[in-house]
Amino acid sequence: MSSIEVTRGATYRQVTLRRTISASASVRRIIAALDMLPIVQPGTWACPEEPVGPVVRLTFRGPADGVLAEAVQAAGDEVGNCSPMYFSVEGHEEKPLAKGASVIGIISQMLGLRLLPG
């Protein structure tokens, strides 16, 4: 991976902030943090009411700037399987990931700004 584009918006479609992380050490750190996230386990959960936005999207780009993978994390309480990180590789949806907000926290520190409330 060559870079990670980070966008944030009030909804899935609206973008109010866009940053690109291209330092190879930072990209590797983010990928390592994602690799450690557990897959959401199947089951039924009673989730609290979801807040409206913000939504953070990570777009992983290769050397030719093509999209290799995407991850989407919305604001919300991580109770049980609520507020998972949705993840796709080359357009194919993968199982959602738990604790995705922790990766967004790492990225927030790298960029020096708060991407999600909390």
Side-chain angles (χ1 to χ4, degrees), residues 21-108:
I21 298 171
S22 55
S24 57
S26 296
V27 171
R28 282 194 306 271
R29 181 175 177 211
I30 294 166
I31 292 169
L34 278 168
D35 284 345
M36 296 190 68
L37 295 180
I39 293 172
V40 168
Q41 297 302 310
T44 304
W45 299 90
C47 296
E49 185 176 332
E50 292 295 319
V52 178
V55 175
V56 177
R57 180 181 304 273
L58 308 176
T59 304
F60 300 84
R61 299 191 180 276
D65 207 33
V67 175
L68 302 176
E70 287 188 300
V72 178
Q73 178 68 55
D77 295 324
E78 289 196 32
V79 177
N81 288 342
C82 302
S83 195
M85 176 178 272
Y86 295 99
F87 194 74
S88 65
V89 177
E90 295 182 346
H92 300 286
E93 199 170 306
E94 302 292 329
K95 293 181 180 177
L97 303 172
K99 305 189 185 306
S102 65
V103 175
I104 303 302
I106 291 169
I107 295 168
S108 292

Side-chain angles (χ1 to χ4, degrees), residues 4-21 54-59 104 107-108 110-116:
I4 301 171
E5 181 182 64
V6 180
T7 59
R8 180 185 64 198
T11 66
Y12 285 97
R13 297 189 193 281
Q14 180 186 31
V15 174
T16 57
L17 176 121
R18 183 182 311 272
R19 299 286 188 275
T20 300
I21 298 171
V55 175
V56 177
R57 180 181 304 273
L58 308 176
T59 304
I104 303 302
I107 295 168
S108 292
M110 287 178 180
L111 295 176
L113 52 91
R114 178 174 277 172
L115 293 169
L116 291 175

